[in-house]
Amino acid sequence: MTGGPPVFDHPPRPLAQKLGAILWPSFFAAGVATMAFFAHVDPLALRDMTFPGLAITRGLGYTAGFFAFWAATAASSLFTWWLLRPASRFNRALPRDD
């Protein structure tokens, strides 16, 4: 068994870079998804089908839709980032059976 600190295949990334890699692409994707979705769906018609008793305006519907799309696409980006982390940071060599 070797001693010393583990060797990583690349240095750790700053938190701002990690957040940017997750939030910026998801922000862009949410914008595109919002435009595509609301080009075919009126927020007031959606409100009448889902929450008819709430006084949701068209602007609030667009805003809520955008943030819902952003949350969904950010979750997707976060999961992708989590799956692509380098294995060298988490895996350790098994002890030898000598």
Side-chain angles (χ1 to χ4, degrees):
M1 213 159 127
T2 62
V7 178
F8 298 133
D9 53 1
H10 68 277
R13 306 273 185 218
L15 180 62
Q17 188 176 5
K18 292 177 190 176
L19 289 175
I22 294 167
L23 295 176
W24 173 244
S26 62
F27 179 85
F28 180 77
V32 172
T34 301
M35 288 186 288
F37 181 78
F38 287 117
H40 301 285
V41 177
D42 180 16
L44 297 180
L46 186 60
R47 176 208 57 196
D48 293 341
M49 289 186 287
T50 56
F51 303 107
L54 293 178
I56 298 174
T57 63
R58 186 170 273 126
L60 182 58
Y62 289 134
T63 302
F66 171 77
F67 281 109
F69 281 122
W70 196 8
T73 54
S76 173
S77 294
L78 178 64
F79 188 61
T80 301
W81 170 79
W82 185 72
L83 289 174
L84 291 177
R85 293 177 301 171
S88 64
R89 293 191 183 197
F90 307 100
N91 296 336
R92 294 187 187 132
L94 296 174
R96 297 178 69 154
D97 292 334
D98 287 336

